[in-house]
Amino acid sequence: MKPVAPPPLAHQPVYPVPPRSGNDINGLGAREKIRARHVFHTTPAYGMPDWFLLNRFFNAVVPFATLRQGLAVRWWMRRHAGPTAPTRVDLGGPDAAAAAVKAAAKRFGAAIVGITPLLDGDQYAHADLAGTYPFAIALGIPMDRARMADLPGPRSNTEVIRVYKELARTVALLSEWLRARGWKTKGYGDPGSTDLLQIPIAVRAGLGELGKHGSLICREHGSNIRLATVVTELPLAPDRPVDIGVEDLCAHCRRCTLDCPPAAIADAKQWVRGEFKWYVDFDKCAPYFSIAGGCAICIQVCPWAEDGRGPLLAEQLLKKRGARAAKSAPAAAE
Ligand code: SF4
Ligand code: SF4
């Protein structure tokens, strides 16, 4: 997929006083583990004075159809938290409970589901969930590739929020299902950043790997996917992170780097809050993302995002890696 008439860079907003770098706020360059802080896609309630105006601008330019889907997200979010039934239902231990939760999540609309312990670093600085909710259930629903074809444009932007509406619904129903069985549970199906960082949770839960474009890549749908999380006190058997060959391809591919209009995607990994990983330059991406009314170019041009290609790509990449290892093994033994 190729971007269709992306807005020119010259239209980017100009600030009378440049805001504090979002990269600094994000902890770019920090080698020690620190909690993330809110920068964008959020509300003043979480404290975000630096990029508040840009966030407001973005919210003001979204088309009516997108706004309507956004209101539906809010409607479902009312049910993300709520009272827990007084009596606990025994779901048969962590393995059986994990299987039951995954089946329920799929029944409620999730395309992919994984489970991981909730860690301190999965939370934004203000949040304190890990003590109450030790497990996280990561969920993903793909976008319709045909509706993403005008990117960046009103149809693709509306499709993104439509999928968040589906996630918000799935999260509400799964959270209620668990609370009705006596287990404290809270859902996060909001496209904004609230308490949790969705991507590290999804990676540890085995949904996929982090790509160079800073988004999750899963075997089934590549980066053509949106994520949500449900946290619970119910003990669940965790999944393991997967290796589908994303690292092998991102090391050489430059598709997203070349197609990103403001050149926000770096070719090398960087230190971010104590982790050496792929990182997108916030100060370049966010202004462009906002004038485009939501930009998804990088995640759609990615070869993984093509319908049906992911499983084949994973198979080929892992096979190639195996062949390379076999070739170098005798040399290493000499
Ligand atoms: S990094 Fe940002 S600006 Fe660049 S393609 Fe991705 S969303 Fe668009
Ligand atoms: S477009 Fe290429 S480099 Fe970018 S995330 Fe996808 S595979 Fe990796």
Side-chain angles (χ1 to χ4, degrees):
M1 188 180 282
K2 294 295 291 175
V4 181
L9 280 175
H11 289 174
Q12 289 206 79
V14 177
Y15 305 96
V17 180
R20 181 182 164 199
S21 165
N23 297 325
D24 285 351
I25 302 170
N26 274 334
L28 179 64
R31 290 182 179 233
E32 68 281 10
K33 291 259 178 212
I34 46 173
R35 289 264 201 107
R37 278 169 295 158
H38 286 269
V39 191
F40 199 68
H41 282 321
T42 181
T43 65
Y46 292 109
M48 44 164 290
D50 300 283
W51 293 85
F52 175 67
L53 282 179
L54 186 67
N55 209 136
R56 265 280 162 87
F57 169 81
F58 170 67
N59 290 337
V61 298
V62 294
F64 180 70
T66 313
L67 195 65
R68 213 174 50 188
Q69 298 290 354
L71 290 174
V73 171
R74 301 263 144 219
W75 178 257
W76 282 108
M77 279 174 63
R78 293 172 309 123
R79 293 162 60 175
H80 284 184
T84 306
T87 312
R88 281 182 174 173
V89 174
D90 181 359
L91 292 172
D95 286 312
V101 161
K102 286 177 184 175
K106 291 204 168 168
R107 221 169 37 245
F108 297 139
I112 51 174
V113 193
I115 293 166
T116 182
L118 182 65
L119 303 183
D120 187 75
D122 297 332
Q123 311 170 92
Y124 280 97
H126 70 276
D128 187 16
L129 293 166
T132 313
Y133 307 99
F135 294 93
I137 305 155
L139 315 165
I141 296 182
M143 293 170 281
D144 182 321
R145 282 277 282 176
R147 290 187 188 153
M148 295 304 290
D150 75 338
L151 86 143
R155 197 155 178 246
S156 49
N157 297 337
T158 302
E159 171 61 7
V160 170
I161 306 302
R162 184 196 67 79
V163 171
Y164 276 117
K165 178 192 71 186
E166 296 303 319
L167 280 165
R169 175 180 173 277
T170 302
V171 160
L173 297 178
L174 183 62
S175 304
E176 286 180 345
W177 186 85
L178 281 157
R179 289 195 296 266
R181 282 154 183 77
W183 301 96
K184 266 191 224 158
T185 301
K186 197 170 177 191
Y188 291 91
D190 184 343
S193 49
T194 47
D195 293 337
L196 296 174
L197 297 154
Q198 309 270 5
I199 295 176
I201 291 173
V203 168
R204 283 204 322 279
L207 259 50
E209 296 182 68
L210 181 69
K212 189 186 278 184
H213 49 31
S215 295
L216 184 91
I217 296 179
C218 68
R219 186 193 300 266
E220 300 84 351
H221 310 285
S223 41
N224 185 36
I225 188 125
R226 297 283 156 171
L227 302 171
T229 304
V230 170
V231 291
T232 182
E233 63 172 348
L234 171 67
L236 295 166
D239 292 293
R240 289 169 188 274
V242 291
D243 177 359
I244 55 172
V246 166
E247 285 285 314
D248 300 30
L249 189 54
C250 287
H252 304 289
C253 170
R254 301 196 69 227
R255 190 68 272 149
C256 56
T257 314
L258 295 171
D259 278 341
C260 170
I265 302 173
D267 267 322
K269 291 186 179 182
Q270 300 174 77
W271 283 100
V272 186
R273 299 190 302 275
E275 221 183 309
F276 193 60
K277 60 179 187 176
W278 302 117
Y279 177 79
V280 171
D281 188 316
F282 175 89
D283 300 351
K284 291 180 180 169
C285 170
Y288 189 82
F289 178 95
S290 301
I291 53 149
C295 170
I297 291 174
C298 51
I299 60 172
Q300 291 299 324
V301 299
C302 179
W304 288 95
E306 274 179 40
D307 282 336
R309 192 163 179 204
L312 194 65
L313 210 47
E315 194 188 319
Q316 287 169 343
L317 287 161
L318 296 178
K319 205 187 267 179
K320 266 192 198 167
R321 192 197 299 166
R324 276 197 309 274
K327 221 172 166 184
S328 60
E334 282 165 15

